[in-house]
Amino acid sequence: LSASADGTARAWNTADGSEIFVCQADDGPVQAVAARDDDNFVTASGEGIIHVWNAAGEPQAVWKSTANEGTCYALAFSPDDRHLAAGYASGMWQLWDRLNKDEPPQPVRTRVGHNAAVLDVAWQKAGSRYATVDQSGKLLIWNAGDGNLLYHVQLPSPAAYSVSYSPDGKEL
């Protein structure tokens, strides 16, 4: 999946590079996308609106958030696909639950731990922790169970754009 300034999310065939489908968001540039193991994926617009899409057959938006939390730069599903972490330009992040076809998603946790835009979110493979990184180079590690901050690191670079756990979850 790719996110575009033209307000679209596109899926691509990895075998030949052909376009599989296009989804048009109705509220500005698509800043972030995240896919699940089922046919659902999410997009976040420049206005901070999160859409849940079903890509089985012709892609359709099945849910749209009503709260505008500002630009959302980062989306990441937990390893079990039950939770979605979203990072915003305001320095806030939210954890969403119940991302399924039968019930509307619910933000279960909102935290402000950054003083700059949250640019990426990554889950540890075990799902017990996740990391957020911001535009000022601040890396925060969170407990996924209770949402408490475990520790923070000021990275040597003044800006950090991405974060990722190693496959064994022991390194960032």
Side-chain angles (χ1 to χ4, degrees):
L1 289 172
S2 63
S4 300
D6 66 359
T8 63
R10 297 172 190 266
W12 304 94
N13 184 319
T14 59
D16 63 12
S18 63
E19 185 177 279
I20 299 170
F21 63 77
V22 178
C23 296
Q24 180 71 48
D26 58 0
D27 41 33
V30 176
Q31 298 285 347
V33 295
R36 291 185 5 170
D37 284 337
D38 61 9
D39 288 325
N40 287 322
F41 66 96
V42 294
T43 60
S45 73
E47 299 298 322
I49 305 297
I50 294 175
H51 290 83
V52 176
W53 301 83
N54 185 309
E58 191 67 30
Q60 295 182 345
V62 295
W63 180 82
K64 177 180 173 180
S65 66
T66 55
N68 181 342
E69 303 295 348
T71 301
C72 179
Y73 289 122
L75 294 170
F77 278 107
S78 62
D80 65 4
D81 283 340
R82 286 191 53 233
H83 302 286
L84 175 74
Y88 296 89
S90 65
M92 176 185 79
W93 63 260
Q94 286 185 317
L95 189 65
W96 292 79
D97 196 7
R98 297 188 352 203
L99 289 159
N100 61 49
K101 299 172 188 172
D102 301 324
E103 302 175 49
Q106 299 292 321
V108 293
R109 193 167 296 121
T110 300
R111 296 281 192 272
V112 178
H114 292 275
N115 296 322
V118 177
L119 298 180
D120 202 11
V121 179
W123 287 84
Q124 184 184 39
K125 186 177 181 179
S128 60
R129 295 179 177 193
Y130 51 94
T132 55
V133 66
D134 72 21
Q135 199 169 19
S136 73
K138 190 176 185 181
L139 172 69
L140 303 178
I141 309 302
W142 304 90
N143 179 317
D146 60 17
N148 288 330
L149 179 65
L150 297 173
Y151 61 90
H152 72 275
V153 175
Q154 183 61 49
L155 301 172
S157 175
Y161 299 109
S162 185
V163 64
S164 178
Y165 277 95
S166 63
D168 65 6
K170 294 179 181 178
E171 297 173 356
L172 271 171

